[in-house]
């Protein structure tokens, strides 16, 4: 049997049993050397590192390969990173995942996944490792921008949508980093502790949602969990992933430092060491010494084969012309429009009609689309805020003042109808920890990525806001960054505040269209903006005396509710240029789900979208997000909306029995954010 024959047999009678059988038979055709070859990345430094030095190429400039057996027609796993687009080549740069999480739109995320898959295939890939669903426990986490937010239900829905989209196009989807990965600067040695209830209800459900959506690969994490590296954790890779969830695909390590011990990793269920054979070079010796058996090798090989057999035949080869094509760049702009969140507006927005606008700040005319680490996408072009305003308002009506000192242009700026300040972060203050030796977020320090020491924007920009609000009549603050900022010291001074995240290659056009009123805001916060940095859970930095940290049950909006505190801007919050009214909210109990219905009326003069959010609380828990739906309503009109909450999503985990159960009583809440809701009875 060769690979093509195995595929034909599987698709002639597709079932889990058939998949396991043909993978087993194909594995039996392989020589031991071929099997071992399947278990590691190949020629990574030759294919990527050499070009990095000689040609100025970047990481993952072409697919990172692992395995493959020509004799039997078994394809290599051809890896591409993400998640804001395809890291290879000059691909479409979408807004970061956090911005897409703010869209609360599963259908949009599916469209983005389909576009990403096409661009992966066009560049020779068959594997996308851009489904980052690590939970945002504390906004200090440097790679917060790569995930969808702080809520496990939101993470699961968005991650599952991206998983389905990518695999429907024949590209293997890889959710990452499994698991409890949310501290960056000490990512290689931080040891996370969490009890079983917390794990199964808070930190694992979003991974299970992606597995249930069909994900055929999972990437392990760098950090330790309960004293074991995640890529060597039998609890995570076998007990939970395979035995409890029935995962049929294969696992890979995080790059270079994921594996520390070859036999321990393989026996724990880590199938492929990426991106280059290092520790797994010891597997032949491990076999001779009896540390592993050929059955252990076969188990990993068959896992890889199952993923390839099930997904590869769906692939449809696409031309390179699809890369950053107009359809995809327009989708990138739509994602930026849908994900930008309006936090405050005292009436200054929208800037309709003939307006003269000033843009001030270090990011007013700078390409700033996020981290420069493994998620970096090199788009063929990027529209800055200034360029976007020139496109919408006209260059003659747009005044640019880069930096944080507007003194020389103050008189010219005073003639403008409004001032837009572009503040926040860039790759120096937050991102993957590549070379961060600083001890603060000071932009003058030589830093590159890593966690944020402060949850406030840089002090020079706070001073800029104070000065601008004192000098000009209408000041709009555009916050650029991956997660929450504490803004209590200046939020009352600004006339309007928005969070545009890292909004991708079309972000400047999207910003201008939103502020001009050509488009309406409809994003909602995927995380809690607290009033005080102390309102978030504890965090560890390199200077911390310990590397052990306990992840508790509560964080974000659940922590604030549990402690009876109010947020500055609650989870799910987002303003619009119009006002929505929710009426006639009803709940109907069914056998497997609870159906909610309501009438939404747009009471304003602008067409707009609202996000219906359903929360549930039992007698023993705070309320938790259990359903959401984005709804378009024309100005002055009403629509009737239905959405369902699955009863399985209401269940709680019993550590004693290892099973899931429903509570006796639930209270439901429906609203436009987690704090402003209406109680609904069955």
């Amino acid at each position: 049997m060769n690979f093509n024959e195995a595929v034909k047999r599987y698709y002639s009678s597709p079932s889990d049993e058939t998949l396991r059988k043909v993978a087993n038979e194909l594995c039996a055709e392989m020589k031991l050397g071929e099997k071992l070859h399947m278990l590691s990345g190949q020629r990574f430094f030759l294919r990527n590192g050499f070009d990095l030095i000689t040609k100025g190429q970047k990481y993952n400039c072409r697919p990172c390969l692992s395995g493959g057996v020509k004799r039997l027609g078994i394809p290599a796993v051809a890896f591409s990173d993400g998640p804001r687009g395809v890291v290879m080549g000059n691909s479409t740069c979408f807004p970061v995942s956090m911005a897409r999480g703010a869209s609360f739109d599963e259908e949009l995320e599916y469209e983005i996944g389909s576009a990403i898959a096409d661009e992966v295939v066009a560049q020779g890939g068959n594997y996308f490792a851009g489904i980052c669903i690590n939970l945002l426990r504390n906004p200090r986490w440097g790679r917060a921008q790569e995930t969808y937010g702080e809520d496990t239900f939101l993470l699961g829905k968005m991650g599952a949508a991206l998983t389905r989209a990518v695999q429907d196009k024949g590209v293997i989807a890889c959710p990452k980093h499994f698991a409890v990965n949310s501290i960056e600067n000490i990512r290689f040695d931080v040891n996370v502790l969490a009890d079983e209830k917390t794990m199964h209800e808070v930190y694992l459900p979003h991974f299970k949602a992606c597995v249930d959506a069909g994900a055929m690969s999972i990437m392990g994490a760098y950090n330790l969990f309960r004293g074991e590296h995640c890529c060597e954790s039998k609890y995570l890779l076998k007990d939970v992933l395979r035995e409890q969830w029935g995962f049929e695909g294969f696992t890979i390590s995080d790059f270079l430092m994921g594996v520390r011990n070859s036999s321990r990793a393989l026996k724990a269920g880590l199938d492929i060491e990426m991106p280059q054979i290092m520790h797994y070079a010891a597997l032949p010796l491990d076999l001779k010494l009896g540390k592993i058996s050929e059955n252990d090798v076969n188990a990993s090989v068959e896992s890889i084969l199952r993923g390839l057999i099930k997904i590869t035949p769906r692939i449809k080869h696409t031309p390179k012309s699809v890369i950053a094509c107009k359809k995809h760049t327009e989708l990138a702009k739509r994602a930026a429009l849908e994900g930008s969140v309006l936090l405050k507006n005292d009436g200054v927005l929208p800037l309709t009609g003939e307006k003269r606008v000033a843009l001030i700040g270090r990011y007013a005319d700078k390409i700033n689309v996020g981290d420069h680490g493994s998620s970096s996408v090199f788009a063929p072009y990027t529209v800055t805020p200034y360029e976007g305003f020139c496109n919408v308002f006209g260059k003659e009506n747009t005044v640019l003042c880069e930096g944080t000192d507007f003194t020389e242009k103050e008189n010219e700026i005073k003639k403008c109808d409004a001032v837009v300040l572009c503040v926040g972060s860039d790759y120096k203050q937050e991102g993957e920890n590549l070379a961060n030796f600083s001890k603060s977020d000071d932009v003058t320090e030589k830093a590159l990525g890593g966690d944020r020491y402060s949850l406030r924007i840089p002090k020079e920009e706070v001073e800029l806001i104070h000065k601008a609000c004192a000098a000009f009549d209408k000041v709009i603050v555009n916050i650029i960054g991956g997660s929450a900022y504490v803004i209590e010291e200046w939020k009352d001074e600004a006339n309007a505040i928005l969070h545009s995240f890292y909004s991708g290659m079309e972000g400047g056009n999207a910003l201008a269209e939103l502020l001009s009123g050509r488009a309406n805001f409809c994003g909602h916060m995927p995380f809690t903006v607290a009033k005080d940095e102390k309102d978030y859970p504890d965090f560890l930095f390199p200077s911390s005396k310990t590397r052990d940290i306990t992840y508790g049950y509560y964080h974000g909006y659940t922590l604030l509710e549990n402690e009876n505190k109010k947020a500055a801007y609650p989870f799910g919050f987002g303003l619009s240029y119009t006002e929505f009214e929710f009426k006639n909210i009803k709940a109907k109990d069914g056998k497997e789900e609870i159906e909610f219905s309501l009438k939404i009326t747009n009471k304003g003069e602008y067409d707009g979208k609202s996000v219906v959010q359903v929360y549930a609380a039992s007698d023993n828990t705070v309320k938790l997000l259990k359903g959401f739906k984005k709804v378009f309503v024309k100005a002055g009109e009403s629509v009737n909306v239905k959405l369902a909450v699955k009863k399985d999503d209401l269940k709680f985990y019993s550590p004693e029995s290892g099973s899931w159960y429903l509570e006796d009583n639930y209270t439901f809440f429906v609203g436009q954010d987690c704090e402003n809701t209406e109680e609904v009875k069955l």
Side-chain angles (χ1 to χ4, degrees):
M1 177 190 289
N2 60 29
F3 182 77
N4 287 334
E5 290 168 346
V7 168
K8 289 178 182 178
R9 280 188 52 189
Y10 168 67
Y11 275 95
S12 67
S13 178
S15 68
D16 289 345
E17 182 180 355
T18 304
L19 184 62
R20 286 191 293 271
K21 187 173 182 180
V22 295
N24 176 267
E25 292 181 15
L26 182 57
C27 179
E29 297 286 340
M30 299 170 68
K31 301 173 184 178
L32 178 58
E34 292 171 335
K35 294 176 185 178
L36 292 172
H37 179 75
M38 293 288 291
L39 305 184
S40 60
Q42 306 294 329
R43 306 189 306 280
F44 173 74
F45 294 111
L46 182 64
R47 290 170 54 84
N48 288 271
F50 184 72
D51 282 352
L52 193 71
I53 298 170
T54 61
K55 300 179 182 179
Q57 293 277 22
K58 59 188 179 66
Y59 155 77
N60 204 180
C61 57
R62 53 174 64 90
C64 301
L65 302 180
S66 68
V69 179
K70 287 185 179 180
R71 183 177 69 85
L72 297 173
I74 300 170
V77 173
F79 173 109
S80 177
D81 223 325
R84 62 179 187 261
V86 179
V87 171
M88 298 184 294
N90 298 111
S91 305
T92 305
C93 182
F94 292 95
V96 293
S97 298
M98 191 65 81
R100 284 142 47 198
S103 76
F104 278 76
D105 193 331
E106 298 171 73
E107 295 179 2
L108 175 62
E109 189 64 4
Y110 186 93
E111 287 186 59
I112 291 170
S114 295
I116 286 173
D118 283 342
E119 296 194 13
V120 169
V121 174
Q123 296 177 79
N126 64 7
Y127 185 104
F128 180 61
I131 304 166
C132 183
I133 51 171
N134 291 116
L135 183 144
L136 179 64
R137 176 179 171 271
N138 187 309
R140 287 181 170 85
W141 180 36
R143 295 178 76 171
Q145 61 192 269
E146 293 188 44
T147 190
Y148 295 105
E150 72 178 34
D151 181 83
T152 184
F153 184 81
L154 176 63
L155 287 171
K157 287 293 184 182
M158 299 299 283
L162 189 59
T163 295
R164 288 193 300 272
V166 168
Q167 293 199 164
D168 283 350
K169 288 294 186 78
V171 174
I172 295 171
C174 175
K176 65 182 184 184
H177 309 82
F178 193 58
V180 289
N181 178 270
S182 55
I183 293 178
E184 187 64 12
N185 288 4
I186 53 173
R187 56 181 172 169
F188 298 119
D189 56 352
V190 63
N191 179 37
V192 177
L193 307 172
D195 62 40
E196 286 296 285
K197 184 175 180 64
T198 299
M199 287 297 293
H200 284 276
E201 293 184 17
V202 181
Y203 289 96
L204 294 178
H206 36 287
F207 283 99
K208 185 176 186 300
C210 291
V211 170
D212 290 345
M216 290 305 289
S217 189
I218 295 286
M219 179 188 287
Y222 283 133
N223 55 279
L224 290 82
F225 174 64
R226 296 178 183 167
E228 293 182 314
H229 283 279
C230 289
C231 290
E232 298 172 4
S233 169
K234 176 179 175 294
Y235 170 85
L236 290 173
L237 302 180
K238 279 192 175 179
D239 298 350
V240 172
L241 189 59
R242 297 194 184 280
E243 294 180 13
Q244 294 184 27
W245 297 352
F247 175 67
E248 289 285 353
F250 62 96
T251 58
I252 70 170
S253 73
D254 207 340
F255 278 31
L256 297 177
M257 294 284 285
V259 175
R260 306 302 180 90
N261 181 288
S262 55
S263 60
R264 193 162 57 218
L266 188 73
K267 289 182 76 67
L270 195 284
D271 300 318
I272 300 178
E273 180 186 25
M274 288 292 287
Q276 176 77 33
I277 186 167
M278 294 176 69
H279 290 281
Y280 272 20
L283 290 179
L285 180 59
D286 290 337
L287 278 166
K288 288 182 179 180
L289 295 176
K291 291 182 178 181
I292 61 171
S293 68
E294 190 165 351
N295 286 337
D296 295 322
V297 174
N298 291 344
S300 286
V301 171
E302 290 178 24
S303 295
I304 300 165
L305 293 175
R306 287 195 295 269
L308 291 168
I309 291 167
K310 186 171 184 178
I311 303 301
T312 301
R314 302 177 188 174
I315 205 165
K316 293 182 179 179
H317 293 284
T318 53
K320 287 194 173 183
S321 59
V322 76
I323 302 168
C325 63
K326 186 176 181 181
K327 179 181 177 182
H328 291 179
T329 59
E330 288 178 347
L331 179 61
K333 184 172 79 170
R334 180 150 61 93
L337 292 171
E338 295 281 333
S340 297
V341 183
L342 183 61
L343 295 173
K344 178 183 178 180
N345 183 20
D346 67 3
V348 66
L349 294 176
L351 303 172
T352 55
E354 186 82 12
K355 298 291 182 183
R356 185 171 172 81
V357 184
L359 274 85
I360 306 175
R362 57 169 55 98
Y363 306 125
D365 193 30
K366 179 180 179 180
I367 294 176
N368 187 20
V369 292
D371 179 32
H372 282 196
S374 62
S375 67
S376 186
V377 174
F378 285 67
Y381 70 87
T382 299
V383 181
T384 68
Y386 173 67
E387 291 170 342
F389 273 72
C390 289
N391 292 337
V392 171
F393 292 95
K395 190 171 183 178
E396 68 280 3
N397 292 322
T398 306
V399 176
L400 174 65
C401 183
E402 296 183 85
T404 56
D405 184 2
F406 56 79
T407 306
E408 292 185 3
K409 290 189 175 183
E410 184 169 352
N411 290 333
E412 186 179 2
I413 295 170
K414 283 185 176 179
K415 297 176 184 178
C416 294
D417 296 295
V419 175
V420 179
L421 306 180
C422 295
V423 302
S425 300
D426 61 18
Y427 70 94
K428 293 181 180 180
Q429 286 88 57
E430 62 177 359
E432 188 168 1
N433 185 17
L434 300 176
N436 192 344
F437 304 107
S438 67
K439 296 182 180 180
S440 75
D441 299 322
D442 190 334
V443 295
T444 63
E445 288 200 28
K446 294 182 179 179
L448 184 60
D451 298 317
R452 291 162 55 197
Y453 284 85
S454 171
L455 292 182
R456 300 173 190 273
I457 64 172
K459 59 183 179 181
E460 301 96 329
E461 294 183 332
V462 173
E463 292 172 4
L464 170 64
I465 294 170
H466 288 318
K467 291 177 182 178
C469 290
F472 310 121
D473 292 331
K474 297 179 179 179
V475 178
I476 301 149
V477 180
N478 171 35
I479 300 173
I480 301 166
S483 61
Y485 295 81
V486 175
I487 60 175
E488 293 302 292
E489 72 266 43
W490 57 264
K491 73 175 185 180
D492 292 337
E493 299 174 37
N495 300 96
I497 305 170
L498 63 134
H499 199 134
S500 60
F501 305 94
Y502 297 110
S503 51
M505 63 188 295
E506 281 285 336
N509 284 331
L511 177 66
E513 290 188 16
L514 286 165
L515 296 191
S516 69
R518 294 188 183 185
N520 198 349
F521 282 93
C522 59
H524 288 248
M525 275 300 187
F527 48 70
T528 300
V529 179
K531 294 181 179 180
D532 193 302
E533 294 186 37
K534 295 178 182 178
D535 290 341
Y536 295 105
D538 57 340
F539 199 82
L540 295 183
F541 288 100
S543 59
S544 303
K545 294 181 180 180
T546 180
R547 288 295 182 265
D548 292 344
I549 185 168
T550 298
Y551 282 12
Y553 189 85
Y554 298 106
H555 70 281
Y557 72 89
T558 64
L559 180 62
L560 291 191
E561 183 172 339
N562 190 55
E563 295 181 350
N564 197 28
K565 294 179 179 178
K566 291 290 185 180
Y569 299 102
F571 173 83
F573 179 86
L575 298 176
S576 170
Y577 291 147
T578 191
E579 181 183 351
F580 298 98
E581 181 182 65
F582 288 14
K583 276 192 170 182
N584 302 329
I585 305 173
K586 298 177 181 178
K588 183 181 179 182
D589 195 1
K591 184 178 180 180
E592 296 182 351
E593 59 187 26
I594 297 170
E595 185 176 275
F596 292 84
S597 61
L598 68 154
K599 181 179 181 181
I600 303 179
T601 300
N602 184 338
K603 300 179 70 177
E605 298 178 354
Y606 290 84
D607 295 347
K609 294 180 180 179
S610 179
V611 176
V612 181
Q613 300 166 40
V614 179
Y615 297 83
S618 72
D619 293 340
N620 301 311
T621 63
V622 297
K623 58 188 178 187
L624 302 167
L625 182 69
K626 295 298 178 184
F628 61 86
K629 187 173 186 178
K630 200 161 196 176
V631 182
F632 172 76
V633 190
K634 289 185 176 182
E637 296 187 6
S638 301
V639 296
N640 293 314
V641 179
K642 290 185 178 181
L643 71 159
V645 171
K646 295 180 180 178
K647 289 188 176 180
D648 279 348
D649 290 333
L650 299 174
K651 290 182 176 179
F652 295 96
Y653 183 77
S654 169
E656 293 76 21
S657 65
S659 60
W660 294 82
Y661 66 94
L662 287 169
E663 292 275 12
D664 293 331
N665 298 300
Y666 289 88
T667 305
F668 295 95
F669 304 85
V670 177
Q672 297 183 64
D673 66 62
C674 74
E675 288 187 1
N676 301 295
T677 57
E678 179 179 329
E679 184 175 331
V680 185
K681 297 185 181 299
L682 287 174

